[in-house]
Amino acid sequence: SQTIHQWPATLVQPVGSPLSLECTVEGTSNPNLYWYRQAAGRGLQLLFYSVGIGQISSEVPQNLSASRPQDRQFILSSKKLLLSDSGFYLCAWDGTGAANYGYTFGSGTRLTVV
Amino acid sequence: DQQVKQNSPSLSVQEGRISILNCDYTNSMFDYFLWYKKYPAEGPTFLISISSIKDKNEDGRFTVFLNKSAKHLSLHIVPSQPGDSAVYFCAASARDNDMRFGAGTRLTVKP
């Protein structure tokens, strides 16, 4: 079966520290992967998406970066966190096979920068 | 754990008829509920929401109903149009905290 894993669930980090959030999918190959941030007003802001290994597209200039080191792994990173990086981050997978027709969201990571 | 559930992975309706998409939740602390719509190759976009102090919110052809006692909400689309064919996600949050998403329901509106 196809599943998506995102960790950690919660994270408290000091300002200026690095960040690494990981997202992996199982049961599929060559998925399209996405990082979202829950925006003000409870909307979703697309941060990065990736259609394959090493292919990253950035939607918004951020203090963040993303990498796709393996087919089923998508990492959200920062070298130095800012207070404004606090928020809720969601990884999503766009099912592209015949049995999949939409997004599957990860469980999310609540990041608090202190 | 699945706090937000959309038990129907797909739904097919005829153009002009009503589409009813259902969503159940388990967390009684949820106080805000949203529906997102997603077309292929596009990201999900916000459609309509409802606060727990209401039981109905209407926006044009879209109406969301909330039954707190049953922990159930539904999205009604009347009349359904072929352009409504998309995947619909239900989401919920508690006290302006993180959203939890359902697995989605694929709606197909046939002309």
Side-chain angles (χ1 to χ4, degrees), chain B residues 1-7 21-35 50-55 64-74 90-95 98-103:
Chain B
D1 61 340
Q2 276 284 78
Q3 297 186 45
V4 179
K5 300 179 183 179
Q6 293 175 259
N7 293 319
L21 298 103
N22 294 304
C23 178
D24 297 293
Y25 61 96
T26 59
N27 188 345
S28 59
M29 299 301 292
F30 286 145
D31 64 350
Y32 200 75
F33 305 89
L34 309 92
W35 284 95
I50 188 168
S51 164
S52 61
I53 62 174
K54 294 185 174 182
D55 55 18
V64 56
F65 294 93
L66 175 63
N67 184 333
K68 290 185 288 294
S69 61
K71 294 191 178 67
H72 176 85
L73 67 155
S74 60
C90 171
S93 67
R95 298 180 184 176
D98 316 325
M99 287 191 290
R100 301 295 178 197
F101 284 84

Side-chain angles (χ1 to χ4, degrees), chain A residues 38 42 88 101 103 107 110, chain B residues 9 32 36 38 93 98 100:
Chain A
Q38 187 175 327
R42 312 193 196 203
F88 187 65
Y101 45 82
Y103 267 25
S107 54
R110 163 58 61 177
Chain B
Y32 200 75
Y36 285 81
K38 183 191 175 299
S93 67
D98 316 325
R100 301 295 178 197

Side-chain angles (χ1 to χ4, degrees), chain A:
Chain A
S1 64
Q2 292 134 339
T3 57
I4 183 168
H5 301 280
Q6 185 180 342
W7 70 91
T10 59
L11 189 61
V12 179
Q13 292 282 99
V15 169
S17 64
L19 172 73
S20 180
L21 302 181
E22 189 160 345
C23 174
T24 60
V25 295
E26 294 179 359
T28 187
S29 60
N30 197 30
N32 298 328
L33 296 172
Y34 305 81
W35 277 110
Y36 282 91
R37 178 176 172 171
Q38 187 175 327
R42 312 193 196 203
L44 286 176
Q45 181 185 41
L46 178 63
L47 301 177
F48 302 95
Y49 69 92
S50 172
V51 299
I53 295 174
Q55 300 179 64
I56 308 295
S57 296
S58 175
E59 291 294 304
V60 219
Q62 296 275 342
N63 181 42
L64 303 167
S65 61
S67 61
R68 180 93 175 255
Q70 299 180 42
D71 181 44
R72 285 171 280 183
Q73 185 184 31
F74 201 23
I75 297 173
L76 183 68
S77 304
S78 174
K79 292 183 179 179
K80 289 185 178 181
L81 283 168
L82 305 172
L83 286 174
S84 58
D85 292 324
S86 294
F88 187 65
Y89 293 85
L90 277 165
C91 178
W93 158 55
D94 189 346
T96 54
N100 303 305
Y101 45 82
Y103 267 25
T104 301
F105 287 96
S107 54
T109 297
R110 163 58 61 177
L111 171 65
T112 304
V113 182
V114 296

